Amino acid sequence: MITTALSQQMLNKESAKLGHCVKTYGERLRNGKCRIYFVRHTDDPDTPFYTLETTPQGEFVQCRGNKNCAMTDEVKVFVDSFIKELKKALKKEDKKCQKKAA
């Protein structure tokens, strides 16, 4: 499953548990320069597993696990599917906003 990082506190906790630098992304997240998501096991949603960064447009940037480890094949398949759906959702949202502005 995927959850969205919404605060510096969430980034700090993720960084402490996984031993990587996502805690330094708070300003970029607040300024809309990136999106951060937390990849979790559905049977253990409170335990950090992997951290995913995308551009504001939904383009993949990186996904890191414990001590900056790379994605397993299973995680890569899951993340690729999520990115595909995220791009669709963002494109749909963008079209809706364009119609409202017209």
Side-chain angles (χ1 to χ4, degrees):
M1 64 180 276
I2 296 270
T3 61
T4 304
L6 301 172
S7 69
Q8 183 65 54
Q9 182 180 7
M10 292 175 79
L11 296 177
N12 292 348
K13 181 179 176 185
E14 185 84 353
S15 189
K17 292 287 187 177
L18 292 179
H20 58 42
C21 67
V22 76
K23 67 182 177 187
T24 66
Y25 287 59
E27 186 174 337
R28 292 177 59 210
L29 183 64
R30 278 190 305 278
N31 293 334
K33 295 187 181 203
C34 71
R35 293 172 185 257
I36 302 291
Y37 300 96
F38 302 144
V39 180
R40 301 287 190 259
H41 287 289
T42 54
D43 60 348
D44 192 8
D46 295 325
T47 300
F49 184 48
Y50 279 84
T51 310
L52 169 64
E53 177 189 6
T54 72
T55 66
Q57 298 77 27
E59 297 293 329
F60 176 86
V61 176
Q62 64 179 327
C63 185
R64 297 292 179 187
N66 192 40
K67 306 283 189 232
N68 269 332
C69 73
M71 292 182 285
T72 63
D73 291 340
E74 181 181 38
V75 172
K76 183 173 178 359
V77 168
F78 177 77
V79 167
D80 287 348
S81 177
F82 172 75
I83 294 290
K84 185 177 177 181
E85 293 303 315
L86 176 63
K87 286 181 184 179
K88 281 185 199 176
L90 291 172
K91 190 173 184 178
K92 186 176 181 179
E93 186 177 303
D94 189 44
K95 284 183 181 181
K96 189 184 288 186
C97 288
Q98 288 176 1
K99 285 182 181 181
K100 286 183 179 180

